[in-house]
Amino acid sequence: MDSLSSAAASSQAVQRQVRVQLTSKQEDIALPENTGPILVPTGLRRYALSTLVNNLLGSDKPIPFEFLINGTFLRTSIDEYLTANGISAETTLEVEYVRALIPPLHIASF
Amino acid sequence: AIHLSSTLPPLTPEIEARRLWSFYESATNDLSLSLTEQLRLILAPTLATKLRGDFRTGKRLNIKRIIPYIASQYKRDKIWMRRSIPSKRNYQIMLAVDDSKSMLESGSGQLAFETLALVAKSLSMLEAGDLCVLGFGSEEHVRVAHGFGKPFSSDAGSQVFQHFSYQQTGTNVRKLIADSIALFREARFKRSPGGGNADLWQLELIISDGICEDHETIRRLVRQAQEERIMIVFIIVDAVKGSSILDLTQASFEADPASGSGEMKLKMKRYLEGFPFPYYLVVRDVRELPAVLATALKQWFAEVVDVSS
Ligand SMILES: [Mg+2]
């Protein structure tokens, strides 16, 4: 048991985490005001973030979302975004979400 | 090997560090007096003298020495026990302070400086033992800002502050624990190269905002430290404006065993639920520290005395 869980731990050891503050300007899909930052793995992409927001909203039928960080759409993993923009995972990321207009094709990729 | 302070360039200029130290030292002066007093009360019983052998005169006979005494034709006459003068320096205390950027973002940096000044000052006034101060973040190894075996003066305080900037871009707690264990081993060995240092107790106080990753590995290292009789108390400085670590949620995607196809499922939990340190305190204001810390140390010292007597 112990060796199993440690093997699992070491395979995830490189996984960084970052705090994200999710916001939306559209009232009908906004989260409750007191939703604080959430710690997420930096490996997440649009689809996983979309799952997260739907979960927080408690939506019966998942709404596909797009995510904006500093005004640009997230097209990579959060980790790749941080590296490309020279941002450390030490700061809380402000992430805005909007309804996706065209559902992406590769919906299952994380 | 672990870098000693002399091999690494300071992170904050000397003049600035001196200014910071004297500011925080005087800001926390009353509190450190109060902490010292509380610790003195906690420590007093542990410093109570014990009867020890072997002397030619003394208070009480050491029964174990009687037979060899007779067998040696009354030559091996060190058969008496005396109250030995207790050694005050029986504790090695390590203060490890998070130097990562997240400390500044949450406003914990100031609280960490206050805590550092407060605890270092109190422990040095108490002469409870040997004090070491570390900084940790994204650097390859922890920074030893003040090593074991050196007296802690105001000068030492300013030098310590030179090793902090809260600009490091990562928070490697796993590395911190691994390095701490190595440093403690070295300090224990220096104290008594032949081993058998039963009276020496080692305590690490970690001061951090508490955000770290790789909890499973950390948990294993903390257990290893415990096996080497190193006690770790994690002080979470929680000065976050707006949101507290107590409310922080953590999202992760884990393989869903029900699906069998390796489908990932979203899991949400409170961050502190999985926190890998069994002894942790959450402090939001430096004024709470003396009482909270005293309670934690009281427990620790009580355990220490229990085991050693
Ligand atoms: Mg940090």
Side-chain angles (χ1 to χ4, degrees):
Chain A
M1 167 66 212
D2 206 275
S3 62
L4 268 181
S5 62
S6 62
S10 61
S11 69
Q12 292 166 5
V14 286
Q15 186 73 278
R16 285 199 298 166
Q17 292 178 86
V18 68
R19 277 172 286 183
V20 293
Q21 179 70 58
L22 293 157
T23 53
S24 176
K25 289 187 182 135
Q26 291 154 284
E27 260 173 52
D28 59 323
I29 52 168
L31 293 168
E33 238 173 73
N34 58 1
T35 309
I38 297 165
L39 194 64
V40 302
T42 56
L44 300 194
R45 292 166 182 272
R46 190 204 65 82
Y47 181 75
L49 284 170
S50 204
T51 307
L52 174 62
V53 174
N54 275 295
N55 184 283
L56 292 168
L57 289 171
S59 12
D60 296 328
K61 228 178 151 197
I63 310 162
F65 292 113
E66 288 271 23
F67 295 85
L68 289 134
I69 307 175
N70 290 321
T72 27
F73 282 107
L74 181 70
R75 294 285 177 245
T76 59
S77 69
I78 299 175
D79 204 75
E80 286 161 328
Y81 176 85
L82 292 177
T83 310
N85 291 276
I87 304 170
S88 82
E90 291 283 314
T91 42
T92 302
L93 267 190
E94 297 281 336
V95 179
E96 190 196 332
Y97 59 93
V98 294
R99 275 196 181 80
L101 296 178
I102 305 150
L105 296 171
H106 303 289
I107 209 153
S109 71
F110 272 80
Chain B
I2 293 160
H3 293 292
L4 294 177
S5 54
S6 54
T7 65
L8 288 169
L11 299 170
T12 293
E14 192 185 339
I15 294 173
E16 174 70 355
R18 193 176 298 278
R19 193 188 64 78
L20 284 169
W21 170 257
S22 64
F23 174 78
Y24 286 112
E25 187 188 29
S26 64
T28 56
N29 196 36
D30 290 353
L31 289 172
S32 59
L33 286 173
S34 132
L35 180 59
T36 306
E37 267 331 291
Q38 297 191 49
L39 293 180
R40 217 187 284 283
L41 289 174
I42 299 163
L43 276 170
T46 76
L47 294 175
T49 55
K50 265 190 195 162
L51 283 164
R52 286 164 209 271
D54 315 286
F55 301 98
R56 285 207 174 79
T57 60
K59 269 222 173 286
R60 196 182 298 168
L61 274 171
N62 187 346
I63 303 301
K64 278 187 266 175
R65 297 284 174 265
I66 299 294
I67 298 211
Y69 173 56
I70 298 167
S72 71
Q73 321 266 321
Y74 308 103
K75 274 187 195 125
R76 292 164 75 176
D77 58 353
K78 291 179 179 172
I79 55 172
W80 293 93
M81 296 195 291
R82 284 182 192 168
R83 282 200 193 280
S84 56
I85 298 156
S87 156
K88 277 187 168 181
R89 299 200 174 267
N90 265 344
Y91 307 105
Q92 285 178 330
I93 299 175
M94 187 184 277
L95 256 181
V97 182
D98 187 342
D99 189 41
S100 73
K101 223 171 176 177
S102 61
M103 295 287 284
L104 274 192
E105 164 161 292
S106 57
S108 306
Q110 177 181 339
L111 188 49
F113 267 147
E114 287 169 339
T115 305
L116 177 54
L118 166 61
V119 178
K121 188 84 185 300
S122 301
L123 292 172
S124 63
M125 282 194 286
L126 194 65
E127 292 183 350
D130 218 352
L131 181 66
C132 160
V133 182
L134 305 179
F136 66 95
S138 54
E139 288 184 318
E140 200 195 336
H141 281 290
V142 296
R143 257 174 194 254
V144 181
H146 181 89
F148 281 125
K150 292 203 297 190
F152 198 91
S153 56
S154 277
D155 250 13
S158 334
Q159 271 171 32
V160 163
F161 273 34
Q162 284 190 56
H163 289 284
F164 292 90
S165 64
Y166 304 112
Q167 289 301 324
Q168 294 194 47
T169 53
T171 317
N172 198 339
V173 173
R174 176 169 39 83
K175 189 88 219 162
L176 165 70
I177 307 300
D179 282 354
S180 303
I181 293 175
L183 285 166
F184 268 132
R185 268 186 207 152
E186 194 183 287
R188 184 181 286 271
F189 181 79
K190 268 192 190 151
R191 181 69 64 96
S192 146
N197 223 329
D199 279 343
L200 178 64
W201 296 92
Q202 298 181 317
L203 169 69
E204 175 164 20
L205 299 174
I206 302 172
I207 299 166
S208 163
D209 59 14
I211 308 292
C212 58
E213 47 218 16
D214 202 359
H215 284 184
E216 272 319 305
T217 312
I218 295 173
R219 207 185 311 278
R220 237 183 10 248
L221 285 165
V222 170
R223 239 187 338 253
Q224 190 193 330
Q226 252 165 9
E227 280 161 18
E228 302 196 18
R229 290 196 320 182
I230 300 163
M231 165 79 179
I232 302 176
V233 176
F234 201 110
I235 302 167
I236 301 177
V237 283
D238 188 31
V240 183
K241 294 155 197 148
S243 67
S244 160
I245 191 162
L246 299 169
D247 305 321
L248 182 65
T249 42
Q250 182 174 23
S252 61
F253 285 84
E254 287 169 25
D256 180 12
S259 84
S261 61
E263 196 185 313
M264 302 294 262
K265 213 170 178 294
L266 172 65
K267 274 189 80 173
M268 302 278 282
K269 65 176 181 195
R270 273 183 191 280
Y271 174 73
L272 281 180
E273 251 176 60
F275 200 61
F277 293 88
Y279 301 94
Y280 70 86
L281 322 163
V282 180
V283 176
R284 303 205 79 172
D285 187 317
V286 73
R287 280 166 298 184
E288 297 168 6
L289 245 179
V292 173
L293 197 55
T295 310
L297 294 185
K298 203 180 282 180
Q299 272 177 24
W300 179 65
F301 284 124
E303 272 171 45
V304 162
V305 175
D306 240 24
V307 181
S308 65
S309 58

